[in-house]
Amino acid sequence: MTLTAAPVSARADDPAPLPPEVDASFRSLSLHFAWKSGFWLLVGAFLSLLASVKLHAPGMMSESAWLTYGRLLPAGWSAVVYGFAGQIGMALGLWLVARAARRPLQGGLLVFFGCVLWNIGVLVGVVAILLGHSTGREWLEMPAGAMGFLVVGAGLIGACGWVTHAGRQESRTYPSSWFVLLALIAFVWFGTVALAMLAGGESQGVVQVLVQRWFANGAAKLWLGSLAVGCILFLLPSLAGRPLASRQLALYTFWCLVLFAPWAVAHHGDPFPRWVVSAGVGGRTLAVIGLAALALNLWKTAEGTCGRWCTSTRGLLICSAAGAYILGGALEYVASLRPVASVVRLTWTTQGLDWLWVGGAASLAFLALLPDFVARTSGRTLNPALVRWHAILTLAGIGLIALPLILAGVIQGLSMARAASTYMDVLRGSLHAVRLSSLGFTLLALAQFLLVGALFGVARQLLNDGLATLRQWSAVPVNGKRAEARS
Amino acid sequence: MRSTPLLFLGILAGMAASWWGVIVAPRLQLGGAPTVVVNGQHYPPRRPGLAEQGAEVYRAQGCNACHTQFLRPEGYGHDLDWGWGPRRTVAQDYLRDNPVLLGAVRVGPDLSNIGSRMGAGDTNVQPAMVAYQLEHLYHSRAAMPGSVMPAYPYLFEKRRIAGVPSPDALKLKAPYAPEDGYEVVPTPEARALMAYLLSLRTTISLPEAPIVPPPTNAVADAAPGTDAAVTNNATAK
């Protein structure tokens, strides 16, 4: 399969050709986003691998404070979530919105500036965590200053997406745009409120935890999750060669996500007022309706056609992303039910579900679209062999991270329920599965060298082209034709 | 979904509703909650300065990546059966904490009541438990073979013994002991961390989370949740 064999149409139900200015408006931006997010994925995978290995060899590299498990874990996670997934997800989202609107991206310079701010924020944040300046709040570990850069950067990127959408040439919008537009507001909203309430010292006691969890849940579901759904709804019908089965079902999914998912914050047994826990359980239950609608919609769209495309690189990744989204959402709901939560809550399962969501649903969906994004916007093709091996290794890596961690949590929870012997015995029982996840981190880290290699190949193409132009320019005699050659 | 402003407002309204419901309303209910007075003392008490510094060390080292600080009630897991504390934790317990580090995963045991398990204030128990925890902190496997807790040697100072060995020096066994003529002593950060751990206690009975006294005839069996089990678990876990 080659990357350009199956064109990604603007909409699977609309074969009209896309104006070339749409892709052209991303020409330089796409490579900026791709290089930076590829770099952060490599950094994040490597830091996460180190953290995972330290669970088996706690004395390894223990002389350096910045290499302790409690710093490596959030630093790696922040690099993956903000450096890679969020960054490339927003870039792909802008591209989908522009293609669906059949309109060039508006405010490209602002997007570039937003990208720069975003990367400064991630860099400062990851380094600060490693130096011990973490806030200690899950998903918000980066210091407030670094998060501020991210929020402003996302604001600039999001504003350009909305302006591009607002000036579209037809009133009817394609469903993937709804989800992307939601995501483009979501991070700014959740980030601004969380920063204002936490950094501003507005919250006391457990209200801080509610703010942190509300942000983390919003970032996972309404930001990364929405971007993932946007990519899936865009690419899957295109690969299946038929329109999305039901616009109405997509609408249910969308509004369930907006109205119910952000409430899924508290769990049974949390030290919050009981009604807050009830609201969390209610929100989580109602959000499942949207998840079921999405599953049905995707099934009806792809039914009977999977054999044709799901073994291709893009097909494999987008199928896995859709599966991870639905499985992750369903497992999270099941894990929140009281009898199950009594066993698996506060165990390795929590980490496993996070990886299934961010690594499986979001990252795989973004990686499925990334080669096309680069190829169609910059005219440079990522090496297909590297892309294919990167996809296979990443998929295997994330599978080996998420599923063993989920299993390890179940083992840990069941051992604790037996209340036998010591906590060390409980932990020892689950460590075999955790070791398997270290293998997953190894594959994930190795895979990213392939991605960086593919992106480096594009950089080399650009450099060669630049040098060729320069040579051509310098070879032209000074007779008035140099300006012509330059043009 | 055809109108961009309507879509924008709809999304914003949906997200704002959750903000109001999940954060603003609980904040109105809990935000101004005062400390309660139990036996003439305010609960939760203010932490001493050294313990406050220890909280910073706890946060900076990312201890909350592996340790939680909240106990669920009976019927929601088995937290109390493990002897980690005498009662569930409630919002009142966290009024003085900033940041509140509940944690999300238990690679290690819960620490919400670790101070009691370390015998805080009990001169017969506390010194030995602090020495044990410092050894565990220096290299977890020195104190507990097979432990996966990271080693924190940078929170200790290895120095040449000048005259009389320091009374604070760790009593390490091979292969973790320093070479002859040297000793390992905790830095101020490690001492502060111990002070913080000793300050973590949930032994005050609250109306919303009362402490149920253990049945008197079960002490001999050290059933889970009893004082005997707490003492045993403090060393075993």
Side-chain angles (χ1 to χ4, degrees):
Chain A
M1 179 259 168
T2 61
L3 289 171
T4 52
V8 178
S9 69
R11 286 183 1 205
D13 54 343
D14 187 357
L18 193 74
E21 308 87 72
V22 177
D23 285 342
S25 62
F26 286 86
R27 185 165 290 140
S28 54
L29 283 174
S30 64
L31 288 174
H32 274 293
F33 277 102
W35 280 327
K36 286 167 183 136
S37 55
F39 166 76
W40 283 118
L41 183 54
L42 178 67
V43 171
F46 193 67
L47 291 175
S48 303
L49 171 64
L50 277 181
S52 179
V53 169
K54 293 203 79 163
L55 283 172
H56 315 302
M60 188 187 75
M61 295 182 290
S62 57
E63 295 295 334
S64 307
W66 66 277
L67 285 174
T68 193
Y69 178 82
R71 296 187 189 182
L72 286 172
L73 190 77
W77 185 249
S78 298
V80 170
V81 169
Y82 301 107
F84 168 69
Q87 178 162 220
I88 197 64
M90 287 193 295
L92 290 167
L94 286 182
W95 186 51
L96 299 189
V97 164
R99 287 176 76 95
R102 299 177 168 280
R103 190 165 183 246
L105 175 70
Q106 303 297 299
L109 196 62
L110 282 181
V111 173
F112 175 75
F113 191 52
C115 173
V116 171
L117 287 179
W118 184 272
N119 282 281
I120 291 173
V122 177
L123 180 66
V124 171
V126 169
V127 171
I129 293 170
L130 290 174
L131 293 178
H133 300 292
S134 159
T135 64
R137 300 182 170 108
E138 292 88 5
W139 284 69
L140 273 169
E141 286 98 347
M142 297 200 282
M147 281 304 291
F149 273 100
L150 263 63
V151 169
V152 175
L156 293 176
I157 294 169
C160 294
W162 273 88
V163 170
T164 303
H165 172 79
R168 67 193 181 280
Q169 289 170 2
E170 51 184 289
S171 60
R172 196 176 162 87
T173 52
Y174 187 64
S176 63
S177 294
W178 311 337
F179 291 93
V180 171
L181 292 167
L182 163 62
L184 292 179
I185 306 179
F187 185 82
V188 182
W189 166 256
F190 287 103
T192 306
V193 173
L195 274 183
M197 298 200 73
L198 292 175
E202 292 294 315
S203 308
Q204 186 190 15
V206 292
V207 177
Q208 292 177 25
V209 183
L210 284 170
V211 174
Q212 173 266 316
R213 288 213 198 149
W214 179 75
F215 170 84
N217 179 59
K221 303 290 169 3
L222 275 74
W223 180 50
L224 292 181
S226 279
L227 287 169
V229 174
C231 291
I232 293 167
L233 292 185
F234 189 87
L235 189 54
L236 198 132
S238 169
L239 291 170
R242 58 167 74 143
L244 187 68
S246 168
R247 195 180 161 84
Q248 204 61 35
L249 284 175
L251 201 63
Y252 286 136
T253 304
F254 177 78
W255 284 115
C256 282
L257 202 57
V258 174
L259 298 176
F260 306 134
W263 291 76
V265 169
H267 292 263
H268 288 295
D270 281 345
F272 307 137
R274 195 157 283 188
W275 68 267
V276 179
V277 174
S278 301
V281 173
R284 208 169 276 117
T285 307
L286 290 168
V288 168
I289 298 169
L291 189 72
L294 178 71
L296 185 63
N297 210 357
L298 294 179
W299 175 256
K300 286 171 77 166
T301 304
E303 194 178 8
T305 67
C306 285
R308 221 173 48 225
W309 52 267
C310 71
T311 53
S312 69
T313 305
R314 281 181 308 181
L316 189 67
L317 288 175
I318 210 72
C319 265
S320 306
Y325 187 94
I326 291 160
L327 181 68
L331 283 181
E332 201 177 295
Y333 172 67
V334 171
S336 72
L337 299 173
R338 186 172 154 177
V340 186
S342 297
V343 176
V344 299
R345 185 145 155 67
L346 307 176
T347 67
W348 295 108
T349 299
T350 309
Q351 273 187 17
L353 287 174
D354 279 350
W355 271 100
L356 188 62
W357 193 262
V358 173
S363 299
L364 294 182
F366 304 152
L367 288 171
L369 265 179
L370 178 64
D372 271 320
F373 177 53
V374 171
R376 286 172 195 287
T377 55
S378 70
R380 314 283 165 178
T381 309
L382 296 174
N383 183 315
L386 287 181
V387 167
R388 175 130 185 112
W389 278 106
H390 169 257
I392 291 169
L393 284 177
T394 302
L395 186 56
I398 288 171
L400 278 175
I401 294 167
L403 300 179
L405 282 176
I406 291 171
L407 180 69
V410 175
I411 295 170
Q412 184 186 359
L414 288 174
S415 303
M416 286 196 69
R418 284 197 287 272
S421 59
T422 65
Y423 195 78
M424 264 309 299
D425 292 331
V426 169
L427 201 60
R428 213 170 275 136
S430 64
L431 277 182
H432 293 303
V434 175
R435 281 194 186 105
L436 207 54
S437 77
S438 298
L439 178 64
F441 282 114
T442 310
L443 290 180
L444 185 67
L446 286 177
Q448 304 328 311
F449 283 107
L450 300 181
L451 179 64
V452 169
L455 290 168
F456 183 72
V458 170
R460 208 173 58 178
Q461 286 175 37
L462 283 173
L463 187 68
N464 288 341
D465 290 356
L467 287 175
T469 309
L470 198 66
R471 265 187 233 112
Q472 192 184 356
W473 182 81
S474 59
V476 178
V478 189
N479 58 2
K481 290 184 179 173
R482 185 167 278 178
E484 193 182 321
R486 194 181 297 158
S487 67
Chain B
M1 304 292 265
R2 287 168 191 250
S3 163
T4 303
L6 274 182
L7 178 64
F8 184 84
L9 290 174
I11 290 173
L12 212 55
M15 293 192 301
S18 74
W19 170 61
W20 193 90
V22 175
I23 295 174
V24 177
R27 185 168 172 269
L28 290 174
Q29 183 182 347
L30 298 171
T35 54
V36 293
V37 178
V38 180
N39 299 332
Q41 294 194 322
H42 284 275
Y43 182 83
R46 243 177 236 292
R47 285 205 175 88
L50 189 61
E52 278 297 333
Q53 290 172 30
E56 286 298 297
V57 178
Y58 185 90
R59 178 198 52 73
Q61 301 306 325
C63 302
N64 59 311
C66 295
H67 294 282
T68 56
Q69 285 189 25
F70 78 102
L71 295 172
R72 294 170 295 176
E74 289 283 356
Y76 296 88
H78 301 270
D79 302 0
L80 301 183
D81 298 339
W82 276 85
W84 285 334
R87 61 165 171 83
R88 70 171 298 192
T89 51
V90 292
Q92 184 76 34
D93 294 311
Y94 305 97
L95 279 182
R96 303 269 196 199
D97 292 0
N98 189 20
V100 179
L101 300 173
L102 290 192
V105 177
R106 282 179 185 151
V107 182
D110 184 89
L111 299 181
S112 50
N113 191 46
I114 183 73
S116 303
R117 282 150 50 198
M118 287 170 68
D122 184 341
T123 49
N124 293 324
V125 181
Q126 184 181 320
M129 288 304 297
V130 168
Y132 169 82
Q133 292 294 353
L134 283 170
E135 201 176 314
H136 197 220
L137 191 67
Y138 177 70
H139 199 302
S140 57
R141 291 187 177 178
M144 188 183 289
S147 172
V148 298
M149 190 174 111
Y152 296 91
Y154 54 86
L155 292 179
F156 294 81
E157 183 192 352
K158 191 173 101 176
R159 66 186 184 194
R160 187 182 287 279
I161 299 172
V164 184
S166 165
D168 294 334
L170 303 190
K171 294 173 178 57
L172 296 162
K173 295 192 181 98
Y176 305 102
E179 48 275 44
D180 286 343
Y182 284 83
E183 63 183 0
V184 174
V185 291
T187 59
E189 285 86 1
R191 289 179 210 276
L193 184 59
M194 286 304 122
Y196 172 64
L197 293 181
L198 286 167
S199 77
L200 294 174
R201 276 173 284 177
T202 55
T203 45
I204 299 291
S205 187
L206 296 171
E208 64 271 40
I211 295 175
V212 180
T216 50
N217 59 349
V219 174
D221 298 332
T226 63
D227 287 345
V230 170
T231 310
N232 290 340
N233 286 332
T235 49
K237 297 168 187 175

